[in-house]
Amino acid sequence: MQTVKENTRGRRIAEAVLMVALSLLMLIAFLCFFAAVWYVKIYGRIGFDSVIYTLTGGLGGVSPELVTKFLSGAVLPALLCTLVLTVLLFWQGRPLLQIRSVTLYPIRPWVANVIAGLLSLGLILHAAFNVELVDYLINSNRTGLIYQDEYKDPKDVSITFPEQKRNLIYIMLESMETSYLDKGMGGALDYNLIPELTELAQNNINFSHNETVGGFREVTGTSWTIGAMVGHTAGVHLKVPDGIKDWQNGYGSQGEFLPGLTSITSILKEQGYNQALMVGSDAGFGGRETYFQSHGIDNIYDLYTAWYDGTVETGYWNGFWGFEDEILFNYAKNKISQMAQEDEPFAFTMLTVDTHHIGGFKCGQCVDQYEEQYENVIACSSRQVYRFVQWIMEQDFYENTTIVITGDHCSMDRGYFNRNVDPGYVRHVYNCFINVPVETTHTKNRQFSALDLFPTTLAAMGCTLEGERLGLGTNLFSGEPTLLEQYGFEWLEEEVSKYSTFYIDSFH
């Protein structure tokens, strides 16, 4: 009799443990499902590398509003669905639904277990496909040879600077793309949101995919800010390695970020340039500070330095990412003016942020010209950049200074594009080169990516490059074909998605 009771008790404990395990499995599955849906809704499908980077990059610098939206858009529905399904599947009270002598509810335990298991599997698979995990795993198990075959190591390329080295001001604009132009100019809208940036592109050098103002394609590994920064400055995509060791900055180890990589900032450091990076947020977010410090940047200015030097009040936070671009541009004027007083040539890189998704940040200079806030913010950014460039042109150092204005990547504000842009429209990222000491007839109907900006920027500073290639990029001024022009977009996308032993061994 005692043995029967013990067996019954043991069976009930086992059933309880199984129920708890399946409930936890459903919670994980629902969390994966809703998190994937939320991520794609917010960011779009920009590759699983970006998902890994987001998961390992920490929350420093992340907008509290974005965290709140994730909790309400993914965590809360996952908890509610798990609770409801757990009650419906595992409740074993008196019969509530019968047909003749067959009890349909409560569900038999073994049936409930099967349903919970299959549902969890289906949710996890849906999430995996939604965030392109399956493609990532497939490509990660395929070895690519693009770096062995096409990569031009700057250490092995002769780069000749002009006798009088030119200064560089590199203005990277968050999410700035040529989609914001009107359709008559090749854009995606019925009106032009960025007339000032359009004017700068028309009056200076704009490398375009069409006959008017255009830009470059976004490729895998350059579709989020730090990935874009690596692409722009070093001519390689950002490939998240297997087994990230440093979870603080999301990449690299022991305070280094791709230490074997040679970037434009590394080259300028060797040439005696005084260099600085400025962002309006926490520079440590996403590994930006680590990357640039590892590659020759002398000074980094961000939210915390602005607190320290009194640019903004200590503790100032605009509720978005740090401080708005109208403060950033004034801060930049101050630091550029100081750098211009030094004996060395200078290179100043800055990143705007107001046009970040979702909806952008509406500052004091924004006007309600359009119905959507995001459009008003984009238009405001165009005006502010134009005024900043006009200020640069009025300074004594301008004569010997090259200005590069470029978007970092395509906008991740998927909701805006779903509402306003034809889904078949191919989006391109803005670029403009000002006060360049070289002429070219190779600006129109080009196919290129962020990877090509590395050698092109050096050429825009008056440098000559042996073979016109650096990294995976091509000097656009030269007219030599880019990898996109040689092999096509699909080929490049596929190749940079593959596992590369050369990348791991050479750059890490």
Side-chain angles (χ1 to χ4, degrees):
M1 190 72 175
Q2 185 69 24
T3 302
V4 173
K5 288 183 178 180
E6 289 177 353
N7 289 341
T8 301
R9 182 183 179 188
R11 185 173 65 253
R12 288 177 178 174
I13 292 174
E15 290 174 350
V17 170
L18 181 58
M19 182 190 72
V20 171
L22 287 171
S23 296
L24 288 175
L25 178 61
M26 285 195 297
L27 176 60
I28 293 170
F30 274 118
L31 187 58
C32 289
F33 173 80
F34 285 112
V37 170
W38 180 88
Y39 192 90
V40 172
K41 178 182 178 182
I42 297 298
Y43 296 98
R45 289 186 172 86
I46 57 175
F48 191 72
D49 278 82
S50 68
V51 178
I52 297 176
Y53 209 93
T54 300
L55 292 174
T56 58
L59 294 178
V62 174
S63 166
E65 181 183 357
L66 196 62
V67 175
T68 300
K69 288 183 177 180
F70 175 76
L71 292 175
S72 62
V75 177
L76 182 59
L79 289 171
L80 291 176
C81 287
T82 301
L83 178 61
V84 171
L85 263 295
T86 297
V87 172
L88 288 176
L89 290 175
F90 299 116
W91 184 79
Q92 291 297 316
R94 62 185 179 84
L96 296 179
L97 180 61
Q98 288 183 312
I99 296 179
R100 297 179 181 177
S101 60
V102 179
T103 300
L104 298 180
Y105 191 82
I107 302 171
R108 292 184 181 183
W110 72 268
V111 176
N113 295 342
V114 171
I115 292 174
L118 291 177
L119 175 64
S120 298
L121 178 61
L123 291 170
I124 291 172
L125 285 175
H126 183 281
F129 280 101
N130 205 13
V131 296
E132 301 176 296
L133 171 59
V134 176
D135 290 338
Y136 174 82
L137 293 175
I138 292 173
N139 288 322
S140 295
N141 286 285
R142 300 166 63 196
T143 300
L145 298 177
I146 185 172
Y147 282 93
Q148 286 93 324
D149 295 342
E150 301 292 348
Y151 180 75
K152 303 299 180 184
D153 193 334
K155 298 186 184 72
D156 301 327
V157 175
S158 175
I159 304 172
T160 305
F161 278 74
E163 183 176 350
Q164 183 181 14
K165 296 173 182 175
R166 296 179 64 80
N167 305 313
L168 172 67
I169 297 178
Y170 200 100
I171 308 169
M172 191 173 290
L173 307 179
E174 173 65 48
S175 304
M176 189 58 67
E177 51 182 280
T178 59
S179 309
Y180 307 139
L181 296 167
D182 62 79
K183 294 175 182 176
M185 296 194 65
L189 305 177
D190 294 328
Y191 38 83
N192 186 0
L193 292 179
I194 51 172
E196 296 83 8
L197 288 176
T198 303
E199 179 183 330
L200 289 175
Q202 290 173 324
N203 294 338
N204 296 280
I205 294 177
N206 162 248
F207 292 100
S208 174
H209 64 286
N210 57 32
E211 285 287 348
T212 58
V213 176
F216 57 88
R217 292 292 299 274
E218 179 183 88
V219 298
T220 294
T222 65
S223 57
W224 71 103
T225 298
I226 184 59
M229 285 179 156
V230 172
H232 285 231
T233 60
V236 304
H237 76 301
L238 182 55
K239 181 69 175 177
V240 178
D242 298 329
I244 296 174
K245 297 178 181 178
D246 186 355
W247 290 63
Q248 177 62 34
N249 63 40
Y251 206 101
S253 61
Q254 300 178 358
E256 292 186 325
F257 192 130
L258 297 178
L261 185 66
T262 299
S263 69
I264 188 171
T265 51
S266 308
I267 295 169
L268 296 182
K269 178 71 172 180
E270 292 180 355
Q271 292 291 324
Y273 274 73
N274 178 20
Q275 300 186 82
L277 169 73
M278 179 177 288
V279 297
S281 54
D282 175 4
F285 179 66
R288 297 174 298 183
E289 184 174 33
T290 306
Y291 173 68
F292 283 99
Q293 284 182 337
S294 299
H295 294 88
I297 288 288
D298 302 290
N299 297 294
I300 295 181
Y301 304 104
D302 68 351
L303 174 64
Y304 300 113
T305 62
W307 289 357
Y308 180 79
D309 62 24
T311 298
V312 295
E313 294 181 2
T314 301
Y316 180 86
W317 179 274
N318 64 11
F320 199 56
W321 295 98
F323 59 83
E324 50 269 44
D325 291 345
E326 61 179 324
I327 298 174
L328 181 77
F329 284 118
N330 287 327
Y331 199 14
K333 290 176 184 179
N334 180 29
K335 295 305 178 183
I336 290 173
S337 297
Q338 292 177 16
M339 294 175 74
Q341 298 302 314
E342 303 295 330
D343 294 332
E344 307 92 347
F346 70 84
F348 184 87
T349 301
M350 61 185 294
L351 170 70
T352 67
V353 72
D354 284 3
T355 48
H356 203 283
H357 67 90
I358 304 166
F361 179 82
K362 187 177 180 181
C363 73
Q365 296 192 32
C366 288
V367 295
D368 294 328
Q369 184 177 358
Y370 304 97
E371 292 184 4
E372 294 214 25
Q373 175 174 303
Y374 198 46
E375 294 186 337
N376 290 319
V377 173
I378 291 164
C380 182
S381 178
S382 177
R383 291 191 296 271
Q384 290 192 70
V385 174
Y386 185 84
R387 288 195 293 266
F388 181 62
V389 171
Q390 295 303 307
W391 174 84
I392 296 173
M393 291 179 174
E394 295 169 358
Q395 308 309 305
D396 293 339
F397 59 77
Y398 172 68
E399 182 180 355
N400 193 43
T401 299
T402 294
I403 305 172
V404 179
I405 310 172
T406 175
D408 55 354
H409 51 71
C410 289
S411 172
M412 298 180 190
D413 199 326
R414 190 182 184 197
Y416 172 79
F417 284 85
N418 285 344
R419 293 189 299 273
N420 298 283
V421 176
D422 187 322
Y425 179 83
V426 179
R427 295 156 61 187
H428 291 76
V429 185
Y430 176 89
N431 72 91
C432 177
F433 293 77
I434 300 173
N435 201 24
V436 174
V438 59
E439 295 182 357
T440 182
T441 58
H442 308 288
T443 61
K444 302 303 180 184
N445 298 311
R446 302 298 304 271
Q447 295 297 318
F448 62 107
S449 70
L451 310 179
D452 298 300
L453 296 183
F454 174 29
T456 302
T457 299
L458 282 170
M461 298 173 68
C463 299
T464 56
L465 314 175
E466 178 189 15
E468 307 296 357
R469 293 278 310 281
L470 288 177
L472 295 180
T474 300
N475 170 20
L476 296 170
F477 286 96
S478 71
E480 291 295 318
T482 66
L483 292 183
L484 272 179
E485 289 169 334
Q486 285 182 274
Y487 305 113
F489 180 75
E490 289 74 18
W491 176 89
L492 183 59
E493 278 282 274
E494 182 178 351
E495 289 301 309
V496 297
S497 298
K498 294 177 180 177
Y499 181 82
S500 172
T501 54
F502 182 97
Y503 190 107
I504 301 297
D505 294 341
S506 300
F507 305 149
H508 289 176

